């Protein structure tokens, strides 16, 4: 018995690795036109791993107090070896993570993977997205810079406009009436203790359910291939895992490029007594809400515009959460699809509006905006048949977008 | 009479088209009216009912005089005993007056009895403080303002030496001289307290509308000192008085700072000449006047041989190079041996003045060269920092430290006034050390930026290589099958 076998025996005897090995060898993943969308979940997991590792490294130097927070982040960026890379990677991977999760949500919706018996997988997934947005919101304040400080003030003020419980929510979020050191302390606790614990729990349930129910095959593919039994599949190990790894490596390359080419800005230290600067903006995934609330008139009928907006976003969130339970048949599905298209258009238009109203880094914003539009255009490709008008329209739009992207990139580089 | 109290001003136009008051005519008319008015009002008072109260107090801060305010009986237009010849005090002036607001009433300044039953003809009343000429005004105001006990009640920190100071001023001396001559006649034109502060309606000096508020004082002085006719023939220390000071000062760095930028610390006329004791600073005391604000420079200058030389030949310290009223922002071009530089004026090798030396000329040239050297170094460091900033690198530390180089430059410019290379050299070296450090750090940031891109490219190679290998390997895997 050679040494390797002895180690295997040792582990097998104590950990029962055979069960895992058996599970891995038996697990298969459906292989069809939309299989690529399955990689988004894995990519999100990889980015989460980056978040955890870089977050732990940052916590070694970060000091959560109004007097020291900004200085400690500045020290991380300027004095700590590779601190700039860790901080940039943390900020960029957080944004990529939310972007990947949004795409994951959208493609899951498009594949209708939320149907029975996967309702709970959808529910936990949407809640996880909410958690990661909360991660972003709490993390945005931690460097205690001017923009984040005032954006948090505006953001928490919006929470305060929720009818009935708004005032209590505001006090809970800020730890007092204003954004102060107390707010920073509880945002830090939220960011590094409360949210991670909740995430671990929910993620465990989500992953368990994914394993339990396996991957869902879209109706369209099932019909095209002549029934569920005739959908081909590949082994999870190593075929699917290797494909997943390609996604991770691509995400890593993108992350490295973004972190090195566009170091995350630190801005100016927050001065709570100064007047709010121009160009306050939240993270991009809150920008559509921020912009829409800004555009709403002060009063809509007998109600305050902002309150109506907040209620509408709350309602939209509930609809997203409850999609599996309101998809009753072709008619409601049609309504849901129309709403989804409207929501995507609303999201892109409002985000772009919010972006372009700021003055700085227009080049980067244009590039990212076009990329976002291109990604959304790629998504329906597997759902259209080759050589049809819809496929050709998509190709034309994609080509136009690609040319625009090249032009924008060339303008930026030259 | 109304015209008297309203101060209708006979106007003439001076050379630059500005309308100015013909001061002598006002003053003569004023005093003749006062005497006539007093006589008539005394006659009118004799027929007053005895029960009328005089000097009846008015609530503090009250904006309208009560109808039965006793002095108003004669001295308010439309009062019971008012006539066209009685001096009138405008109601608004009275209630806006700082004295009035502090609770003082007419008789507190003018004296006399405040009640009707004790009323005496103002001229016959020994307690009435008669104003028969400008010469009476300093002591009239000084009655309270020179009394420590009185002033303590209203403003414990107020000075009480204004009257004494006044008599030492150019104005006071002129007035005194007019009273002491062979044919004593009070100078009717020379400024007294009321010329600057006003008569009734005197505002607190910290009131922005006061004619002696920092932003207004120069214009107040110019009321007389910009009047060419008024200044004509007047001399100080045998030098004729000019009338263009206000115009010049207004264009100066001080005038602009005060009038355009509202910088109340910038000096107006009184800050250099004194206010109550206003006098032109002598040749030997110009540096002291400037030194009240520019203390460090004045100290440096006081220790130089240049200062003694200036005094010896009668050159007025700072003003020799910087001018007096039209002081412009100092430029580095003022230093050195270029024909535009001030040093060149005396140290001109071909035509030296006042015994100026060639060594001095060489020193001036070196000082200027070294200043330019630091300026260049700052410019280079700043440009590198900016370059790094634009690339998104964190250079706030060097940016902050660069301010020390600017401080050193300012310090070096200050040290010019020692007229010695060594102290200036120390400041310059300090600045050059800072700029070279900032430059080094900015260049390091730029190098770091290049390294980052390089390492990015280098890291992308293995990542993409792994991706390619993975894809190639995936292609060798068996195709997807329908799993039974």
């Amino acid at each position: 018995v050679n040494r390797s076998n002895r180690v295997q025996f040792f582990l097998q005897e104590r950990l029962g690795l055979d069960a895992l090995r058996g599970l891995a060898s038996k697990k298969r993943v459906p292989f069809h036109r939309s299989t690529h969308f399955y990689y988004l979940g894995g990519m999100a997991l990889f980015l989460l791993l980056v978040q955890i590792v870089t977050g732990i490294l940052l916590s070694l130097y970060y000091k959560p107090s109004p007097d020291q927070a900004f200085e400690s982040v500045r020290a991380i960026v300027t004095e700590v070896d590779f601190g700039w890379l860790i901080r940039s990677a943390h900020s960029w991977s957080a944004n990529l993570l939310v972007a990947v999760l949004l795409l994951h949500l959208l493609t899951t919706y498009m594949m209708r993977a939320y149907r029975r018996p996967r309702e709970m997988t959808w529910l936990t997934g949407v809640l996880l997205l909410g958690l990661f947005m909360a991660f972003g919101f709490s993390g945005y304040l931690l460097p205690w810079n001017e923009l984040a400080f005032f954006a948090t003030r505006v953001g928490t003020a919006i929470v305060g406009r929720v009818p009935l419980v708004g005032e209590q929510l505001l006090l809970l979020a800020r730890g007092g009436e204003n954004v102060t050191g107390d707010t920073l302390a509880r945002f830090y606790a939220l960011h590094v203790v409360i949210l991670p614990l909740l995430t671990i729990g929910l993620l465990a349930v989500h992953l368990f359910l994914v394993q339990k129910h396996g991957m869902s095959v879209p109706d369209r593919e099932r019909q095209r291939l002549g029934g569920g039994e005739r959908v081909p599949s590949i082994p999870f190990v190593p075929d699917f895992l290797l494909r997943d790894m390609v996604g991770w490596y691509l995400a890593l390359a993108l992350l490295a490029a973004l972190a090195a080419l566009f170091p995350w800005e630190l801005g100016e230290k927050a001065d709570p007594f100064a007047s709010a600067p121009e160009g306050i903006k939240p993270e991009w995934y809150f920008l559509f809400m921020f912009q829409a609330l800004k555009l709403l008139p002060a009063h809509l009928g007998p109600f305050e515009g902002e309150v109506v907006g907040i209620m509408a976003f709350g309602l939209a969130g509930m609809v997203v959460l409850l999609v599996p339970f309101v998809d009753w048949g072709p008619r409601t599905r049609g309504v849901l699809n129309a709403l989804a298209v409207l929501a995507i258009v609303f999201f892109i238009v409002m985000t772009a509006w919010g972006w372009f109203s700021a003055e700085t880094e227009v080049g980067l914003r244009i590039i990212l905006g076009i990329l976002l539009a291109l990604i959304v255009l790629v998504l329906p490709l597997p759902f259209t048949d080759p050589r049809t008008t819809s496929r050709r329209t998509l190709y034309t739009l994609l080509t136009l977008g690609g040319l625009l992207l090249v032009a924008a990139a060339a303008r930026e580089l030259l | 009479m109304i015209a008297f109290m309203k101060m209708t001003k006979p106007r003439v136009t001076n050379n630059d088209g500005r309308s100015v008051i013909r001061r002598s005519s006002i003053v003569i008319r004023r005093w003749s009216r006062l005497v006539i008015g007093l006589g008539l009002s005394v006659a009118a008072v004799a027929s007053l009912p005895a029960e009328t109260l005089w000097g009846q107090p008015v609530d503090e801060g009250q904006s309208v005089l009560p109808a039965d305010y006793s002095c108003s009986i004669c001295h308010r237009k439309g009062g019971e005993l008012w006539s066209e010849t009685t001096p009138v005090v405008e109601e608004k002036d009275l209630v806006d007056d700082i004295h009035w607001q502090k609770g003082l009433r007419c008789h507190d300044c003018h004296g006399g009895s405040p009640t009707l039953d004790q009323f005496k003809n103002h001229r016959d009343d020994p307690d009435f403080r008669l104003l028969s000429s400008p010469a009476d005004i300093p002591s009239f105001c000084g009655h309270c303002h020179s009394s420590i006990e009185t002033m303590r009640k209203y403003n414990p920190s107020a000075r009480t030496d204004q009257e004494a100071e006044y008599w030492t001023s150019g104005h006071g001396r002129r007035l005194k001289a007019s009273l002491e001559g062979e044919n004593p006649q009070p100078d009717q034109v020379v400024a007294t307290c009321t010329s600057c502060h006003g008569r009734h309606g005197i505002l607190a000096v910290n009131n922005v509308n006061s004619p002696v508020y920092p932003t207004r004082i120069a214009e107040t002085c110019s009321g007389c000192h910009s009047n060419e006719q008024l200044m004509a023939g007047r001399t100080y220390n045998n030098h004729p008085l000019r009338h263009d000071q206000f115009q010049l000062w207004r264009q100066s760095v001080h005038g602009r700072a005060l009038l355009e930028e509202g910088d109340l610390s910038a000096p107006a006329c009184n800050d250099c000449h004194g206010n109550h004791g206003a006098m032109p600073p002598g040749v030997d005391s110009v540096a002291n006047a400037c030194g009240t604000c520019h203390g460090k420079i004045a100290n440096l200058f006081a220790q130089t041989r240049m200062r003694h030389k200036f005094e010896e030949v009668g050159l007025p310290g700072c003003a020799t190079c910087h001018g007096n009223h039209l002081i412009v922002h100092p430029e580095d071009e003022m230093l050195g041996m270029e024909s535009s530089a001030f040093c060149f004026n005396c140290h001109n090798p071909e035509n030296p003045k006042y015994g100026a030396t060639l060594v001095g000329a060489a020193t001036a040239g070196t000082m200027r060269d070294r200043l330019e050297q630091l300026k260049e170094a700052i410019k280079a460091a700043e440009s590198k920092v900016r370059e790094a900033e634009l690339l998104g690198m964190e250079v706030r530390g060097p940016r902050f430290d660069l301010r020390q180089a600017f401080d050193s430059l300012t310090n070096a410019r200050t040290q010019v006034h020692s007229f010695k290379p060594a102290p200036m050299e120390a400041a310059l070296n300090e600045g050059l050390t800072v700029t070279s450090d900032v430059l080094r750090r900015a260049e390091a940031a730029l190098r770091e930026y290049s390294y980052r891109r390089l390492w990015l490219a280098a890291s992308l190679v293995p990542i993409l290589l792994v991706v390619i290998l993975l894809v190639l390997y995936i292609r060798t895997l068996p195709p997807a099958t329908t799993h039974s």
Side-chain angles (χ1 to χ4, degrees):
Chain A
V1 182
N2 63 28
R3 184 171 291 178
S4 156
N5 282 353
R6 276 166 60 190
V7 171
Q8 276 187 21
F9 180 76
F10 178 88
L11 292 174
Q12 162 58 25
E13 199 179 18
R14 281 151 188 84
L15 300 174
L17 287 181
D18 263 5
L20 275 178
R21 196 181 293 164
L23 199 69
S25 64
K26 275 185 206 160
K27 187 175 167 56
R28 294 183 73 84
V29 179
F31 194 77
H32 49 80
R33 282 187 193 166
S34 304
T35 298
H36 292 88
F37 294 157
Y38 295 155
Y39 305 134
L40 286 168
M43 209 184 267
L45 266 182
F46 169 74
L47 288 168
L48 175 62
L49 200 69
V50 174
Q51 284 299 92
I52 292 170
V53 172
T54 52
I56 288 171
L57 289 175
L58 288 175
S59 74
L60 299 180
Y61 293 96
Y62 177 73
K63 300 183 182 81
S65 83
D67 297 334
Q68 293 176 298
F70 182 83
E71 279 74 14
S72 65
V73 178
R74 191 161 74 183
I76 289 171
V77 177
T78 54
E79 287 164 31
V80 177
D81 286 342
F82 291 99
W84 61 272
L85 183 64
I86 299 299
R87 195 215 163 210
S88 256
H90 192 74
S91 304
W92 273 115
S93 67
N95 282 276
L96 288 179
L97 176 58
V98 175
V100 167
L101 286 178
L102 285 173
L103 289 177
H104 189 38
L105 177 92
L106 190 60
T107 52
T108 307
Y109 174 79
M110 288 164 82
M111 293 192 288
R112 297 185 62 231
Y114 51 77
R115 288 163 303 163
R116 195 173 69 93
R118 298 188 178 81
E119 292 98 329
M120 290 300 152
T121 322
W122 171 271
L123 269 181
T124 49
V126 172
L127 290 176
L128 276 170
L129 173 66
L131 280 182
F132 283 112
M133 288 170 88
F135 262 117
F137 187 70
S138 54
Y140 196 47
L141 178 69
L142 298 188
W144 201 247
N145 59 23
E146 206 177 31
L147 280 185
F149 176 82
F150 286 102
T152 303
R153 204 146 87 172
V154 174
T156 46
I158 289 172
V159 173
R161 305 305 295 270
V162 174
L164 301 175
V165 290
E167 209 171 306
Q168 276 69 35
L169 280 181
L170 179 82
L171 287 176
L172 187 70
R174 289 183 175 176
E177 288 184 356
N178 293 311
V179 176
T180 58
D182 293 339
T183 320
L184 183 64
R186 66 182 52 200
F187 271 43
Y188 181 65
L190 197 68
H191 196 77
V192 303
V193 180
I194 301 166
L195 292 176
L197 284 177
L198 288 174
T199 305
I200 289 170
L202 263 180
L203 190 62
V205 175
H206 190 75
L207 291 178
F208 168 74
L209 291 174
V210 169
Q211 294 311 311
K212 180 176 164 53
H213 297 303
M215 297 299 196
S216 162
V217 180
D219 283 346
R220 192 185 177 81
E221 291 301 297
R222 208 186 287 264
Q223 282 163 17
R224 189 173 65 85
L225 296 165
E229 303 78 30
R230 303 193 56 183
V231 176
S233 61
I234 51 171
F236 181 78
V237 183
D239 295 39
F240 186 80
L241 202 59
L242 288 174
R243 287 178 164 86
D244 228 0
M245 278 172 71
V246 174
W248 301 353
Y249 273 104
L250 287 177
L252 182 66
L254 182 62
L255 195 58
L258 286 171
L261 288 180
F262 302 102
W264 204 263
E265 272 184 31
L266 184 54
E268 294 296 324
K269 186 177 179 176
D271 177 4
F273 300 109
S275 53
E278 273 186 42
I280 302 172
K281 58 174 186 351
E283 293 276 50
W284 63 271
Y285 39 88
F286 291 117
L287 204 55
F288 73 104
M289 287 195 267
F290 180 77
Q291 187 66 21
L293 290 177
K294 214 159 74 171
L295 293 173
L296 276 176
H299 289 280
L300 281 171
F303 306 106
E304 279 188 52
E306 258 186 18
V307 175
V308 174
I310 292 162
M311 298 299 286
F313 284 124
L315 192 68
M318 284 309 286
V319 171
V320 172
L321 191 66
L322 299 176
V323 155
F325 307 104
V326 293
D327 182 0
W328 291 314
R331 195 171 290 175
T332 47
R333 202 173 305 142
V335 175
L336 277 177
N337 285 344
L339 284 176
V341 170
L342 272 179
I344 292 165
V345 171
F346 179 80
F347 181 88
I348 291 180
V349 167
M350 283 296 156
T351 307
W353 194 333
W355 254 345
F356 290 115
S357 51
E359 283 173 13
T360 52
E361 282 187 36
V362 176
L364 175 65
R365 283 158 211 280
I366 291 174
I367 291 172
L368 289 177
I370 299 172
L371 261 177
L372 192 67
L374 282 178
I375 290 167
V376 173
L377 283 173
V378 167
L379 296 182
L381 274 182
F383 298 93
T384 55
D385 288 322
R387 290 182 292 282
T388 56
T389 318
S390 39
R391 175 65 73 94
R392 284 198 200 100
T393 314
L394 279 176
Y395 279 149
T396 315
L397 288 172
L398 278 169
T399 314
L400 276 175
L403 288 173
L404 268 175
L405 186 68
V406 170
R411 183 184 164 275
E412 192 62 16
L413 289 174
L414 296 176
Chain B
M1 191 54 62
I2 299 165
F4 165 68
M5 293 313 290
K6 281 189 174 169
M7 287 284 301
T8 305
K9 297 170 181 174
R11 290 186 175 272
V12 292
T13 305
N14 66 6
N15 285 350
D16 60 357
R18 267 168 31 91
S19 171
V20 295
I21 304 161
R22 190 189 296 136
R23 197 174 178 85
S24 53
S25 62
I26 297 169
V27 176
I28 293 163
R29 239 189 279 173
R30 186 191 310 156
W31 292 109
S32 60
R33 281 174 179 175
L34 182 62
V35 171
I36 297 165
L38 278 175
L40 287 171
S41 51
V42 167
V45 162
S47 61
L48 266 181
E51 63 272 20
T52 308
L53 284 175
W54 284 72
Q56 187 173 2
V58 177
D59 289 341
E60 280 190 26
Q62 195 163 341
S63 59
V64 180
L65 291 175
D68 56 349
Y69 185 68
S70 51
C71 298
S72 309
I73 291 169
C74 298
H75 296 287
R76 182 163 68 174
K77 189 180 176 187
E80 287 172 48
L81 298 177
W82 172 79
S83 74
E84 284 291 335
T85 50
T86 319
V88 169
V89 179
E90 288 293 332
E91 204 171 291
K92 184 183 176 307
D93 284 348
L94 212 50
V95 292
D96 283 349
D97 191 293
I98 181 68
H99 302 97
W100 185 274
Q101 287 171 359
K102 291 277 183 188
L104 297 172
R105 296 295 171 257
C106 308
H107 67 277
D108 289 311
C109 294
H110 290 280
S113 170
T115 55
L116 185 60
D117 51 355
Q118 291 170 2
F119 176 76
K120 291 180 190 154
N121 179 330
H122 286 339
R123 284 187 166 281
D124 300 334
D125 187 346
D127 293 333
F128 186 77
R129 289 193 281 280
L130 196 64
L131 287 163
S132 56
S133 86
D136 296 333
I137 293 176
S139 60
F140 181 88
C141 299
H143 180 73
C144 293
H145 282 276
S146 297
S147 162
I148 296 169
E149 287 80 11
T150 308
M151 290 311 293
R152 191 183 289 138
K153 281 193 283 185
Y154 298 99
N155 180 358
S157 62
R159 292 173 58 173
T160 51
D161 57 353
Q162 297 99 325
E163 187 188 352
E165 269 203 324
Y166 172 77
W167 289 116
T168 68
S169 72
H171 302 130
R173 284 190 194 181
R174 192 174 294 277
L175 184 57
K176 206 176 201 175
S178 70
L179 296 170
E180 290 171 352
E182 281 182 12
N183 181 20
Q185 278 294 325
D187 187 326
Q188 298 288 349
V189 180
V190 74
T192 60
C193 318
T194 54
S195 312
C196 300
H197 292 279
R199 280 162 290 275
H200 299 109
I202 296 172
L203 301 174
V205 291
N206 57 3
N207 184 319
V208 288
N209 293 317
S210 165
V212 293
Y213 190 72
T215 51
R216 296 196 61 200
I217 181 107
E219 200 177 347
T220 301
C221 298
S222 79
C224 297
H225 285 276
S226 292
N227 184 333
E228 191 175 353
Q229 281 97 333
L230 205 58
M231 292 297 114
R234 292 177 184 272
T235 57
Y236 178 79
N237 275 356
N238 298 323
H239 293 290
L241 289 184
R242 300 167 64 115
H243 57 87
D244 58 354
Q245 302 96 320
F246 178 62
Q247 290 295 346
L248 294 172
W249 171 83
R250 201 154 59 169
Q251 300 163 44
S252 73
V253 65
H254 297 136
R256 283 173 188 272
L258 186 60
L259 301 180
E260 290 171 19
E261 291 161 31
D263 179 357
L264 297 186
S265 67
C269 316
N270 59 318
D271 293 295
C272 298
H273 294 281
N275 31 32
H276 301 102
M279 282 276 264
V283 164
D284 54 347
S285 60
V286 166
N288 294 336
C290 301
T292 52
C293 297
H294 302 279
K296 190 172 179 184
I297 293 175
N299 280 341
L300 287 172
F301 181 69
Q303 293 161 24
T304 60
R305 280 166 54 197
M306 191 83 87
R307 175 204 160 198
H308 297 296
K309 190 72 186 171
F310 276 20
E311 282 175 10
E312 209 177 293
V313 298
L315 292 174
C318 315
T320 304
C321 298
H322 294 279
N324 46 16
H325 297 108
L326 182 59
I327 296 170
V328 293
H329 193 276
E331 301 293 340
D332 293 332
E333 287 69 27
M334 289 163 70
L335 176 71
M337 288 309 292
E338 290 158 13
S339 57
S340 59
F342 285 117
C343 312
F344 183 77
N345 289 348
C346 300
H347 290 275
N348 181 352
E350 291 169 12
N351 181 23
K353 283 186 199 160
Y354 311 115
T357 60
L358 285 176
V359 177
T363 304
T366 312
M367 281 173 140
R368 173 70 189 284
D369 291 345
R370 294 282 288 144
L371 263 188
E372 293 301 326
Q373 196 182 338
L374 179 58
K375 277 159 70 182
E376 284 300 319
I378 289 176
K379 208 168 143 187
E382 196 174 23
S383 142
K384 276 278 180 262
V385 169
R386 181 86 192 119
E387 198 181 332
E389 274 172 347
L390 286 174
L391 290 172
M393 299 303 291
E394 173 59 54
V395 278
R396 245 172 298 193
R399 164 71 71 197
F400 182 82
D401 290 347
L402 194 59
R403 284 165 38 177
Q404 285 177 28
F406 282 105
D407 289 346
S408 297
L409 182 64
T410 307
N411 191 17
R413 284 171 173 154
T414 303
Q415 293 295 345
V416 168
H417 300 89
S418 69
F419 303 106
K420 286 181 199 156
M424 187 185 171
E425 199 66 22
L428 287 167
N429 286 337
E430 203 180 294
L432 287 168
T433 310
V434 172
T435 50
S436 70
D437 179 55
V438 168
L439 192 68
R440 184 184 55 75
R441 286 156 71 194
E443 281 172 346
L446 287 172
R447 268 200 306 279
E448 168 84 11
Y449 180 78
S450 307
Y451 285 149
R452 283 182 193 182
R453 295 197 138 199
L454 193 73
W455 281 107
L456 161 76
S459 72
L460 285 181
V461 170
I463 292 174
L464 292 176
L465 201 66
V466 171
V467 169
I468 292 166
L469 289 174
L470 273 175
V471 171
L472 287 176
Y473 180 71
I474 287 165
R475 288 173 69 128
T476 64
L477 291 172
T481 52
T482 311
H483 190 62
S484 56

